[in-house]
Amino acid sequence: MNPFLTADYCDGRVRIGSKTYAAGAYVVHLLNQYYRNDTAARLGVYKQHGWNAAEQIAAGYLKETDFISAGTEIGLILNTLPMLKPFDQFNVDGERNRISDLFSENNAKQIADFFHRRSIVESKSQIELDLEYDKKFFKDANMLISDISDTLAFYNAVSDDMREAFIKLQNFVTHVDEAARFDEEHLLPIALDVFGAVPFLVTTEYIPIKKNAKSKACTLARRLYFDSYYSFIITDFFEGLHHGHYPRRCGICKKYFLMTSARRQQYCNGLSPYEVRGKRITCRKYAASINRKELAAADPVVDIYNRRCSAIRTEKGRKTITDEFAKAAQTLAKEHKLKAQQDAAYASRQYAVDMSRERLYA
């Protein structure tokens, strides 16, 4: 397991380094950064010697020049990775030093010596084996090879992992509008159809963390160690989806953004590439200025609230309920609406029930 790529997940949030985002935010980062300066494409150039070294170790021999060159290639990859999130939050200098120590001439010689001595041991009888077998040397060499193999697997696959995740995430975004509601129940079938069931290794550690810088008490979080970039980005996607977060593409600027509610929002809150009266405004305001404003009916939370308030006003006008009762019902309805806008799970499971006439009036 490569210790370089780790993330802490707690209550629908993800923390990497000093940054904390809503779970699913790194999915949006990948979608927006994949083509920027061809950064992701550059990573695919540096893996020829890494492939060679991995194949040789798997076959039981090692060419020292390929091994040293594999470390050099990973160093070049580490020059590019920090241009992409979340790698800008990691200790890249520390990882560079680890790679330099791992792919050293001494380690190349130790591995070559291990393969040579292992072949001798395998040909010996039990009596001769006791003379040839160095338990500590073999244990240390196996641990070293395991570390090197995990590291090569991570860096050899990182560019392909990005491309595969990017294509599948784009596919998911194009099918989002097919869902009847934008909650976990309705989006999950689309996600599973796109990504399928692909098992991957994730090591979990439970740790105490503070919810924010001002918190005094700690809460429990899961620290995950990923064996590949693909396992990280798919975990971030499904963690976000579980909490009602999902990526969308803005109809104005064409950038991707993370939705954290069930409303059918078509435009992001970032600056539009267009100006109105010489000023830059947000994509949502620009859409409104050209008569493409999102309707409240497109937001299921607001739609239910508006219909319930309309019914309350109708009953008040008909004198079937008092003014005081109507005001109390509208106040309670607003409280339910605000809760639904902040809690995706409540919005998808309980909100409509609480907003029914019988439950609200009771």
Side-chain angles (χ1 to χ4, degrees), residues 130-337:
D130 293 336
L131 299 175
E132 296 285 348
Y133 183 65
D134 185 335
K135 184 176 181 179
K136 184 178 184 307
F137 172 81
F138 274 68
K139 180 180 179 180
D140 291 345
N142 276 310
M143 291 178 62
L144 174 62
I145 289 173
S146 177
D147 192 7
I148 289 171
S149 297
D150 287 346
T151 300
L152 287 172
F154 179 86
Y155 287 104
N156 286 346
V158 68
S159 61
D160 292 336
D161 285 349
M162 287 182 179
R163 182 175 64 254
E164 183 179 0
F166 176 76
I167 292 172
K168 289 183 176 180
L169 289 168
Q170 275 192 320
N171 189 14
F172 172 82
V173 172
T174 60
H175 289 86
V176 161
D177 286 315
E178 297 174 6
R181 286 178 60 88
F182 292 164
D183 55 21
E184 181 184 10
E185 178 184 355
H186 294 87
L187 291 175
L188 184 58
I190 298 174
L192 293 176
D193 186 53
V194 171
F195 292 97
V198 181
F200 49 75
L201 292 175
V202 176
T203 300
T204 303
E205 177 185 0
Y206 289 94
I207 62 167
I209 65 169
K210 293 183 178 180
K211 287 190 174 182
N212 53 60
K214 296 182 180 180
S215 297
K216 294 183 179 180
C218 290
T219 187
L220 192 65
R222 292 181 300 126
R223 173 163 293 174
L224 305 182
Y225 299 84
F226 300 96
D227 69 330
S228 68
Y229 175 81
Y230 186 81
S231 62
F232 158 71
I233 204 67
I234 300 306
T235 297
D236 191 57
F237 171 76
F238 280 103
E239 284 283 334
L241 196 64
H242 176 61
H243 291 278
H245 308 165
Y246 54 96
R248 287 199 64 110
R249 194 175 192 186
C250 178
I252 299 296
C253 67
K254 306 304 179 183
K255 292 181 179 179
Y256 296 89
F257 62 99
L258 186 68
M259 281 297 302
T260 56
S261 71
R263 64 169 59 96
R264 290 184 177 270
Q265 183 173 318
Q266 300 294 324
Y267 314 110
C268 72
N269 292 316
L271 285 178
S272 163
Y274 311 106
E275 294 183 352
V276 175
R277 300 185 184 91
K279 293 183 178 181
R280 293 282 297 279
I281 58 177
T282 67
C283 290
R284 298 191 74 187
K285 289 183 178 179
Y286 177 78
S289 73
I290 58 174
N291 297 321
R292 287 169 58 182
K293 186 175 181 180
E294 298 153 335
L295 299 176
D299 184 339
V301 172
V302 175
D303 181 42
I304 292 174
Y305 171 76
N306 288 344
R307 286 190 284 110
R308 177 51 54 211
C309 288
S310 177
I312 292 171
R313 287 192 297 270
T314 298
E315 292 194 59
K316 184 177 71 171
R318 292 174 179 173
K319 304 299 182 181
T320 56
I321 58 175
T322 65
D323 291 349
E324 292 77 14
F325 189 93
K327 184 178 180 180
Q330 288 174 328
T331 300
L332 183 57
K334 187 174 183 179
E335 291 178 1
H336 291 330
K337 182 192 76 168

